[in-house]
Amino acid sequence: MAKRRVKVAVTGAAGQIGYAILFRIASGQMLGPETEVELQLLELEQALPALKGVAMELEDCAFPLLKNIVLTSDLNTAFKDANYVVCVGSVPRKEGMERSDLLKINGGIFTAQGKAVEKSAASDVKVFVVGNPCNTNALIAMNAAKGIPSDRFFAMTTLDENRAKAQLALKAGVDVSSVKNMTIWGNHSATQYPDFYNALINGKPVTDIITDTEWLKGDFIKTVQQRGAAIIKARGLSSAASAANAAIDGIYNLVHETPAGQTYSMCLASNGEYGVDKGLIFSFPCRTEGGKIKIIEGIKHNEFGQEKFKLTLDELRGERDAVKSLGLI
Ligand SMILES: NC(=O)C1=CN([C@@H]2O[C@H](COP(=O)(O)OP(=O)(O)OC[C@H]3O[C@@H](n4cnc5c(N)ncnc54)[C@H](O)[C@@H]3O)[C@@H](O)[C@H]2O)C=CC1
Ligand SMILES: O=C([O-])CC(=O)C(=O)O
């Protein structure tokens, strides 16, 4: 069977996450063994020599699926006919900062990138934002690219979902693959709501398996919400290999059919689901069915869940209002 060929643009490709993600995209772990890839890598001018070194290493891997590599500091060259644009390039936070502190620093990048996506990318482009604060950066890019349907913009809560699954599996003493439907609601931030009430372990409600509800409501949620900060404290740098792994998982989820009965977490533009303002980039439970990405509706929240949901929604509304007042949307 003839293989499909796609162009994948990655911004900030010489950074930490770039170094961990490119090899996995090129090996086929993101789009599958039937898809050949051309990488179109964007970096700041001063990082192009380092990027050249990364490209040499990619060549040295002799990946059968990797058909071309473009290195550039020009947005329109990077995004030309791109089917996937993975927006990593931006400044990471340092110890003591919240991700929203990066709004002013990184927000501007996403206006230019949104415009370039609209001008140069393929008509079926999907934009996946990793750079923080990723929900609101995706909102900025989406608003700068009004000619592109808003359902093509995504931001990543896959890392939070993976972290939450791992914590639940450790506590329950089960294999991580037995934890399913672990929805992260809202913002990729310290207000996110990792919804253990609606998650499953071996097909049963988490609360049937882990009966220490105080742990679930307290330490579990806090650990997931604060994991990024804990990694920065320990490593002196923000998470990179796990972030790249999550981006691979997240895009894999978008482009592959979701197994029956399962959902994945993804930030995407609301159409009013669950009372979230239309157009806000919010993390919902999703499925990919027949190639289409759907938000799964009808999940119920108890009083605890409703309170957590409101906190993260209010924070995202605040970020939206802040970028509005900065003239970014
Ligand atoms: N959504 C998530 O779960 C996660 C998001 N992140 C975020 O990902 C972003 C990247 O993290 P790292 O790779 O660790 O940072 P890094 O500093 O190692 O790499 C970023 C790269 O982006 C480049 N860059 C900066 N501005 C650019 C622009 N305008 N155009 C193109 N390239 C540009 C830099 O030259 C640098 O090479 C940060 O914002 C970080 O906070 C990190 C972990 C998880
Ligand atoms: O916390 C950070 O700044 C990096 C990040 O988004 C994460 O690790 O979840």
Side-chain angles (χ1 to χ4, degrees):
M1 197 174 82
K3 289 194 185 341
R4 177 175 93 101
R5 187 180 289 198
V6 300
K7 295 182 195 287
V8 181
V10 181
T11 76
Q16 297 195 85
I17 296 175
Y19 194 65
I21 198 172
L22 296 177
F23 299 87
R24 298 188 58 189
I25 299 174
S27 73
Q29 288 177 312
M30 184 170 90
L31 298 169
E34 296 306 323
T35 305
E36 296 172 342
V37 293
E38 295 183 29
L39 286 173
Q40 303 186 161
L41 308 180
L42 181 77
E43 255 302 347
L44 299 177
E45 184 83 37
Q46 64 267 27
L48 286 177
L51 186 59
K52 173 79 185 139
V54 178
M56 287 159 67
E57 286 203 65
L58 279 163
E59 261 170 41
D60 294 349
C61 292
F63 289 119
L65 291 172
L66 180 59
K67 296 302 173 195
N68 193 30
I69 310 175
V70 172
L71 311 181
T72 182
S73 59
D74 176 67
L75 276 172
N76 289 299
T77 307
F79 295 169
K80 187 162 172 29
D81 300 327
N83 307 97
Y84 298 92
V85 175
V86 188
C87 296
V88 178
S90 47
V91 176
R93 67 172 165 156
K94 308 285 177 312
E95 198 172 342
M97 291 168 85
E98 286 302 326
R99 296 184 186 101
S100 56
D101 295 333
L102 296 171
L103 258 185
K104 269 203 197 121
I105 305 171
N106 288 336
I109 295 175
F110 288 84
T111 308
Q113 294 195 351
K115 286 191 174 135
V117 166
E118 182 172 31
K119 181 165 178 224
S120 300
S123 58
D124 68 350
V125 67
K126 285 188 172 66
V127 179
F128 185 85
V129 179
V130 175
N132 279 317
C134 60
N135 295 59
T136 300
N137 287 339
L139 181 79
I140 294 169
M142 182 179 86
N143 277 277
K146 291 260 198 284
I148 297 187
S150 56
D151 63 2
R152 307 292 188 70
F153 291 83
F154 306 93
M156 182 165 98
T157 39
T158 321
L159 180 53
D160 311 288
E161 177 184 350
N162 286 346
R163 288 166 171 166
K165 284 177 168 169
Q167 292 301 317
L168 291 177
L170 281 172
K171 180 78 175 177
V174 297
D175 192 89
V176 74
S177 58
S178 62
V179 186
K180 305 275 194 236
N181 298 8
M182 182 53 251
T183 302
I184 306 295
W185 296 88
N187 201 1
H188 171 62
S189 77
T191 67
Q192 66 179 274
Y193 172 38
D195 181 7
F196 62 86
Y197 277 115
N198 286 298
L200 302 171
I201 294 179
N202 286 321
K204 297 202 177 77
V206 164
T207 46
D208 285 4
I209 310 290
I210 301 173
T211 51
D212 184 353
T213 315
E214 285 319 300
W215 179 82
L216 288 166
K217 288 160 93 170
D219 282 355
F220 164 69
I221 290 190
K222 203 158 162 231
T223 299
V224 178
Q225 290 177 333
Q226 297 292 339
R227 190 67 160 187
I231 304 278
I232 292 171
K233 194 157 190 281
R235 240 171 59 85
L237 288 168
S238 71
S239 52
S242 58
N245 175 68
I248 296 286
D249 285 350
I251 297 171
Y252 180 97
N253 288 339
L254 289 177
V255 302
H256 292 84
E257 296 292 292
T258 310
Q262 295 184 27
T263 60
Y264 58 83
S265 299
M266 186 61 63
C267 309
L268 70 182
S270 164
N271 282 305
E273 293 88 352
Y274 295 96
V276 175
D277 316 30
K278 199 168 170 2
L280 213 58
I281 302 275
F282 192 91
S283 182
F284 289 108
C286 295
R287 288 181 49 78
T288 303
E289 290 175 4
K292 293 214 157 38
I293 296 136
K294 322 185 350 186
I295 295 172
I296 299 307
E297 296 193 76
I299 291 172
K300 299 271 183 290
H301 293 297
N302 60 15
E303 207 176 307
F304 177 84
Q306 285 170 24
E307 213 172 279
K308 296 283 175 209
F309 189 102
K310 186 173 176 329
L311 268 177
T312 196
L313 175 57
D314 284 348
E315 183 183 50
L316 275 173
R317 287 173 170 155
E319 287 187 19
R320 175 200 56 203
D321 295 346
V323 292
K324 215 176 230 172
S325 68
L326 290 169
L328 292 170
I329 61 170

